Amino acid sequence: MTGSWCVAVLSAVLSASPSETQTGPIPALRDRLAALSPDDPMGYFLLAEEVMHEMQGDRGLQLARTLFVLASVTDRRSSVPQGLTAGAALALASISSSDDERQWLLALIEPGSPRRPARVDDALQEEASLNAAEALSFARAGDAVALHERLRSDDVYRTLRRLGDEGASAIDLLERASDRAPCAACRNRRIIKSQIADTSDDVYTLCPICLGNPGPAYALRQYRETLAVEALLLGAQGESWSAHDWLSSGRAALEPDLDVLPEHFGVDPDRVRWNDDPISEDPLDGVWIR
Amino acid sequence: MSAPRPIRTFFSEVPDGADPFELLGLSAQPCDDDAVRAALDQRLARLAQHPQAHSPDADEVRLVLHVACAQLLDPLLRREILADRAARAQRTDASPVVRLPTASSIELAALHAIASSGGWNETARRRVAALLHAEQIPLATLPSIISAVGARVARERHDAASGARYGAIPALDARAARSLQQRHRARLFTKWVLLGAFVLSIGSIALLSMMLIDSYQRSVAYEQEGERRAEAEQVESGTAAMPQEESALTPVAEKASPAGTASKQAGERQRARSADGLIAPAPTELAATPIEIDPNSRAWLDAATVLLEKEPFASQTDEARLQRVGRLARLNQAAAYVWDAAADPRDLLISLDPAPSRIQAAASPVDDPATFTAPGVPPDGTLALELLEVRRGKQLDSQAFRGRRYGHLKLGPVDCDVAADSALFGSPHELRLIAARIVLDQSSNPAMIHALLEALPRAPKSDSTSELVMRVTEQSVPSIDDPSWRATCRRMLLERLAMLLGEVWSSELDALAGWIAQSYDAQARGYKPGMSSGSTVSTPAGTLPEAPAARLFDRWMREIGGLRSAPGDLEKITRIRQKREARLALARGPMQRFAAQQVSCAEALALLVAIETPSLAADVERVTSEALAIRARAMRVIEQMEIAEHTISRLWRIRLSREPERREQS
């Protein structure tokens, strides 16, 4: 039963990724949301699939995630589970923007042989990861010209978004670094040239503004964060605990436990009924209630 | 609340401190072997009809009954037990005196158990423990009883060679030696020599002798005390006997002097150290504690109470959390030793002192990563200016550069930045070589590795770049034709930088890792006498606890495999193994991998305790599921470690106390 669901959902997911789907409203979405009941977990699942394929944007994705999680929760609580959890986890993995999260979701349903999901664009992804790591390096060095060059492609930001919170803070850091002007005195050359009076000889001195280091001054915490993001991008781990601490910022691995699923996606497993806002025109205006 | 005595659960008529006759329901009269065997069969049949006939307690009682039967089948011992019983009854009539264990009968029964178990092994340990339990003798006396057994065997061996019986007991005074001679002479040739030879033949003497060395004084004091009491009773006809209440509070070893006094002092010293964070079940306390839980376990439970209930969980730094993980791991090591029946209480002296704290004093300002991106601070920049002048066309004074050495000082971030730049793409070529040498001289300087990392994206894809990265990181670099060359070089430099920064700024993590590794290794290996000497020696910093934790997991799984499993256990075992694999696949880096192994150890231990004692399974399940649910939501790996280690300690508390955990304790 579970296996057939996995196959069905996987094929549905593979046949149409969100970026390829048509856009457009879902008929009677408001009514269908209101009709959802924990007695019918399949209702959550089917609507989640439809939302995932038909609705674009963050709100649509968020609703799809919530519905998949609720499908899993209600099915597991059901007296006759239909094995929807595996399908829900696969679907959630297909719309996940994080490699770690995707691997974790697969481990939830296949704990015996967790594996990194195979990707056809692994080589491209590695190149994009390296570009993102080097972009961070340019940001630290205050080399805005080289940083702009790296940021021309969307790859860097897209790659960083896959890292979740760490990626988001790195994007913020890159945006600020790309707006930063070079050192006013030395133009990031570290030294300045001047002529000795009454002679034609040039003399070099360290830049009086940046004192030879034109990069932005990062606090220790910021510096560690950039190293941790680079480590994530490049797969650096460190051999010792101390080295690993510098490269991971003490982050915990996700636990392969289905009970964590709702909390991970910010879903309250007890709020399973949709209460829409009758005044709003937007069918997504509403809250989940007990 | 202590657990009910198993024997009373099944045979309520059996009194406390029952002798083998009472255990088998025989009247205290001479009887033959058939009567003894018939009594045993009758008891076993009655036990089989009990609702708890398949419980571990029932197994324990069966063992006790078999041991009692074995004792009574020995005619010599049977007579001795009858004599002891008569003497006891006489003493009870005359005056209330403390009942000392009849050492010889216990020792004989212990030897029977050891011999019938094939030597001193896990089975023998359990049987002897059950025997002591049935006799209501504190488990802490196990070491001295085993030592006494070993001592006799060893003495016999020695005497057989030298022809001078008892000549090898230097600490014994003449009177005690005479008493011992009188007491044992009659049966030494017939029983101990034969059985001793048997024990020798199965290779147990080595272990027994090791135990003998440590507890020799105590066993001698024990013997002396028994003789003195017998003599005093004879002389004073009970008028000088100590009141029972007072005696019960006075440790046996304390009463014996001079060894008892020394033991008492040692006990006081150990108690004093206990306040400083040492688990110290003092021998004097062990011998006196009138509880069913053995005193080592009780001492552990007291120590555990402090760590599990008095220390706060919340609002702690990572460092404080990790220190606690280390202390809990030590506590769990002690629990494992207690469980493995550590023979010598000194082996349970396991330091709970925190590992070395953060070593910031060793860090110099140039090691501070915050300076890597900050404006330079003179004299930092002096070398940078010289190198940049040459790159701008100034004549290179190669002699002057070559005459300098930079290995003895740490260059600042500005000098490192320019040196790394110059080494990778400086011009002229000779400047590149000079700069490369400076880089190599500074390969232990985090600022230099940072500088290389920042310069690498602009570095040419060349063999010279490869060589520089390879020599700095001391790792092999893929060929420059390899598509992963850039990424690999960058990753290697990043790991090198993290290693150097970690050594300076987070060295306490490595010290704690070694500390925890040691505890897990000790638990995985199991207790062996004398192990404590190694347990206080710190392992080298950087030793990872991941592998020992994996071995400990295997140990628990082996022990689970050795138990009679119930329906559903196999499924649980499979699930634990699968989750472990999943966790390891998701883990990145040594800390996360250890956390994965550690929580799997907790799950395996929980299953082991639940299978061992089905009556505690629900409580074990509650403790484990509640704690691990919290762990699953933890965002930081050190928090995960703390929760898992804390859970393991709680499981040990249940296992050793054989009681459900009180709700408020969690």
Side-chain angles (χ1 to χ4, degrees), chain B residues 206-227:
Chain B
L207 181 58
L208 295 174
S209 298
M210 285 167 70
M211 298 168 114
L212 168 69
I213 293 166
D214 279 340
S215 52
Y216 178 74
Q217 288 284 343
R218 272 180 291 142
S219 63
V220 169
Y222 182 84
E223 297 286 356
Q224 285 178 316
E225 176 62 13
E227 296 302 326

Side-chain angles (χ1 to χ4, degrees), chain B residues 380-647:
Chain B
D380 183 21
T382 310
L383 173 67
L385 183 61
E386 286 183 74
L387 294 170
L388 286 170
E389 280 179 331
V390 174
R391 289 170 69 177
R392 295 285 187 279
K394 187 181 174 183
Q395 181 67 35
L396 172 64
D397 184 356
S398 54
Q399 290 285 53
F401 271 113
R402 287 183 190 285
R404 296 185 212 158
R405 283 286 176 270
Y406 295 95
H408 64 288
L409 55 86
K410 277 190 172 174
L411 294 174
V414 177
D415 287 338
C416 288
D417 279 352
V418 176
D421 256 19
S422 304
L424 289 172
F425 36 77
S427 178
H429 179 66
E430 193 170 1
L431 176 73
R432 255 203 326 270
L433 296 178
I434 289 169
R437 206 201 69 222
I438 295 170
V439 168
L440 292 175
D441 279 350
Q442 295 286 310
S443 62
S444 296
N445 181 352
M448 184 57 84
I449 309 302
H450 162 87
L452 278 173
L453 199 63
E454 307 302 51
L456 194 64
R458 289 172 283 122
K461 197 174 186 181
S462 65
D463 289 334
S464 61
T465 304
S466 265
E467 189 182 346
L468 192 65
V469 172
M470 191 168 66
R471 292 180 67 180
V472 164
T473 61
E474 298 173 353
Q475 291 185 55
S476 59
V477 176
S479 155
I480 56 173
D481 298 326
D482 190 315
S484 67
W485 178 83
R486 268 173 66 206
T488 305
C489 288
R490 185 160 195 85
R491 181 175 51 74
M492 286 164 54
L493 285 173
L494 191 60
E495 288 178 343
R496 170 82 179 162
L497 175 60
M499 189 195 83
L500 293 174
L501 290 173
E503 282 176 359
V504 176
W505 296 98
S506 312
S507 58
E508 80 284 355
L509 287 183
D510 294 331
L512 281 162
W515 214 47
I516 295 167
Q518 198 177 53
S519 292
Y520 271 78
D521 187 53
Q523 291 175 70
R525 288 171 190 273
Y527 171 77
K528 301 279 187 310
M531 279 189 79
S532 61
S533 58
S535 67
T536 51
V537 179
S538 62
T539 53
T543 303
L544 297 175
E546 185 186 328
R551 289 198 295 275
L552 181 59
F553 177 83
D554 290 341
R555 176 187 169 181
W556 297 147
M557 282 304 190
R558 273 198 310 276
E559 292 192 8
I560 289 170
L563 294 173
R564 198 170 35 194
S565 58
D569 287 345
L570 189 60
E571 190 188 334
K572 288 177 188 167
I573 291 168
T574 306
R575 198 158 60 235
I576 288 173
R577 287 193 183 281
Q578 285 181 339
K579 279 188 92 170
R580 178 173 177 249
E581 284 177 32
R583 287 188 185 111
L584 287 172
L586 293 170
R588 291 186 177 195
M591 291 179 88
Q592 290 186 3
R593 283 199 296 272
F594 168 69
Q597 297 281 13
Q598 178 198 34
V599 70
S600 300
C601 283
E603 288 178 334
L605 180 61
L607 181 59
L608 177 61
V609 177
I611 294 176
E612 273 174 355
T613 317
S615 60
L616 295 174
D619 195 53
V620 166
E621 168 64 21
R622 179 186 62 78
V623 165
T624 313
S625 59
E626 281 177 6
L628 298 190
I630 297 170
R631 181 196 174 276
R633 287 164 177 79
M635 302 298 288
R636 303 191 60 73
V637 67
I638 292 176
E639 192 183 350
Q640 284 190 335
M641 288 182 194
E642 187 187 23
I643 295 168
E645 204 63 42
H646 189 266
T647 307

Side-chain angles (χ1 to χ4, degrees), chain B residues 101-427:
Chain B
T102 52
S104 58
S105 62
I106 297 300
E107 287 161 15
L108 182 59
L111 191 60
H112 269 300
I114 292 169
S116 61
S117 304
W120 181 246
N121 52 29
E122 180 65 17
T123 308
R125 187 177 67 78
R126 294 266 172 239
R127 285 183 173 176
V128 176
L131 172 69
L132 297 185
H133 183 67
E135 294 287 346
Q136 297 177 30
I137 296 169
L139 197 59
T141 55
L142 176 64
S144 56
I145 289 172
I146 298 300
S147 301
V149 172
R152 288 197 172 88
V153 174
R155 280 199 300 270
E156 280 308 302
R157 190 186 186 196
H158 178 272
D159 294 344
S162 66
R165 197 177 315 284
Y166 302 116
I169 311 176
L172 219 55
D173 62 44
R175 188 180 58 164
R178 273 197 307 278
S179 302
L180 278 172
Q181 277 182 314
Q182 288 160 6
R183 187 172 166 186
H184 299 296
R185 191 188 296 273
R187 50 194 171 114
L188 277 173
F189 279 112
T190 55
K191 189 174 301 298
W192 294 110
V193 172
L194 291 175
L195 287 172
F198 175 66
V199 175
L200 275 170
S201 70
I202 55 177
S204 297
I205 191 62
L207 181 58
L208 295 174
S209 298
M210 285 167 70
M211 298 168 114
L212 168 69
I213 293 166
D214 279 340
S215 52
Y216 178 74
Q217 288 284 343
R218 272 180 291 142
S219 63
V220 169
Y222 182 84
E223 297 286 356
Q224 285 178 316
E225 176 62 13
E227 296 302 326
R228 285 200 187 100
R229 292 194 71 80
E231 286 179 16
E233 282 163 19
Q234 284 174 0
V235 171
E236 296 172 19
S237 303
T239 53
M242 192 178 290
Q244 189 166 16
E245 294 77 9
E246 187 183 336
S247 302
L249 296 172
T250 310
V252 171
E254 185 183 335
K255 292 178 212 160
S257 89
T261 308
S263 183
K264 182 188 178 189
Q265 288 166 351
E268 284 167 352
R269 279 200 301 277
Q270 287 168 356
R271 273 195 296 277
R273 292 176 71 189
S274 215
D276 292 329
L278 290 160
I279 304 170
T284 54
E285 294 168 330
L286 305 187
T289 311
I291 51 173
E292 288 194 18
I293 297 170
D294 70 274
N296 283 357
S297 298
R298 175 55 60 200
W300 184 91
L301 290 165
D302 291 344
T305 301
V306 175
L307 266 182
L308 292 179
E309 292 167 24
K310 303 284 164 58
E311 290 198 4
F313 244 127
S315 306
Q316 289 191 355
T317 61
D318 273 358
E319 193 172 289
R321 283 183 181 282
L322 203 53
Q323 294 273 1
R324 189 157 185 249
V325 174
R327 283 198 298 277
L328 288 169
R330 280 291 200 248
L331 184 72
N332 296 335
Q333 178 190 343
Y337 277 14
V338 170
W339 183 260
D340 291 342
D344 188 339
R346 284 177 301 174
D347 289 348
L348 299 174
L349 295 174
I350 294 168
S351 172
L352 296 179
D353 291 337
S357 59
R358 185 181 290 271
I359 305 169
Q360 290 199 355
S364 73
V366 294
D367 291 324
D368 185 352
T371 67
F372 295 174
T373 55
V377 178
D380 183 21
T382 310
L383 173 67
L385 183 61
E386 286 183 74
L387 294 170
L388 286 170
E389 280 179 331
V390 174
R391 289 170 69 177
R392 295 285 187 279
K394 187 181 174 183
Q395 181 67 35
L396 172 64
D397 184 356
S398 54
Q399 290 285 53
F401 271 113
R402 287 183 190 285
R404 296 185 212 158
R405 283 286 176 270
Y406 295 95
H408 64 288
L409 55 86
K410 277 190 172 174
L411 294 174
V414 177
D415 287 338
C416 288
D417 279 352
V418 176
D421 256 19
S422 304
L424 289 172
F425 36 77
S427 178

Side-chain angles (χ1 to χ4, degrees), chain A residues 54-75:
Chain A
E54 302 297 334
M55 292 185 72
Q56 275 196 329
D58 288 344
R59 290 186 80 195
L61 277 180
Q62 183 54 42
L63 177 61
R65 284 194 192 100
T66 304
L67 289 169
F68 278 127
V69 171
L70 291 178
S72 165
V73 168
T74 53
D75 186 47

Side-chain angles (χ1 to χ4, degrees), chain A residues 1-269:
Chain A
M1 185 72 172
T2 304
S4 59
W5 266 110
C6 291
V7 172
V9 173
L10 184 60
S11 54
V13 165
L14 293 177
S15 63
S17 66
S19 59
E20 297 165 346
T21 56
Q22 298 173 350
T23 60
I26 297 172
L29 177 59
R30 186 189 296 264
D31 293 341
R32 292 175 67 185
L33 280 168
L36 291 172
S37 161
D39 298 333
D40 179 22
M42 185 61 85
Y44 294 89
F45 190 90
L46 294 175
L47 184 56
E49 277 199 306
E50 207 169 332
V51 169
M52 182 176 78
H53 290 292
E54 302 297 334
M55 292 185 72
Q56 275 196 329
D58 288 344
R59 290 186 80 195
L61 277 180
Q62 183 54 42
L63 177 61
R65 284 194 192 100
T66 304
L67 289 169
F68 278 127
V69 171
L70 291 178
S72 165
V73 168
T74 53
D75 186 47
R76 290 177 66 212
R77 286 177 182 168
S78 162
S79 56
V80 189
Q82 300 172 67
L84 294 180
T85 295
L90 273 175
L92 286 166
S94 75
I95 55 176
S96 170
S97 59
S98 157
D99 283 343
D100 278 355
E101 186 180 80
R102 206 167 17 251
Q103 193 175 358
W104 169 68
L105 286 163
L106 294 181
L108 286 180
I109 56 176
E110 206 179 357
S113 54
R115 61 178 188 274
R116 186 169 174 268
R119 299 177 58 88
V120 291
D121 59 348
D122 270 356
L124 291 174
Q125 186 54 46
E126 281 174 16
E127 182 70 19
S129 294
L130 179 61
N131 283 338
E134 291 183 343
L136 283 169
S137 185
F138 290 136
R140 279 195 304 257
D143 191 344
V145 176
L147 178 59
H148 275 294
E149 187 70 27
R150 281 285 190 279
L151 294 180
R152 249 181 219 166
S153 155
D154 287 341
D155 278 357
V156 170
Y157 284 144
R158 198 165 54 236
T159 302
L160 289 173
R161 279 193 206 101
R162 301 170 75 95
L163 303 183
D165 292 343
E166 285 100 336
S169 64
I171 288 171
D172 183 47
L173 187 143
L174 288 182
E175 284 173 344
R176 277 187 280 122
S178 66
D179 292 337
R180 191 170 184 274
C183 174
C186 69
R187 311 295 295 173
N188 286 11
R189 293 188 185 93
R190 302 177 189 270
I191 54 174
I192 56 172
K193 182 171 73 173
S194 53
Q195 279 194 330
I196 299 173
D198 303 329
T199 70
S200 59
D201 293 341
D202 290 337
V203 63
Y204 289 94
T205 55
L206 273 182
C207 172
I209 304 294
C210 69
L211 297 172
N213 200 350
Y218 284 166
L220 180 62
R221 182 184 57 78
Q222 279 180 306
Y223 185 80
R224 287 188 71 147
E225 281 175 3
T226 62
L227 289 191
V229 172
E230 275 207 57
L232 268 179
L233 290 165
L234 301 172
Q237 298 188 351
E239 291 179 2
S240 63
W241 275 26
S242 59
H244 178 244
D245 186 52
W246 273 84
L247 293 176
S248 71
S249 294
R251 192 181 48 253
L254 288 167
E255 175 71 0
D257 184 346
L258 277 171
D259 291 337
V260 188
L261 191 70
E263 186 167 314
H264 180 79
F265 287 105
V267 176
D268 184 338

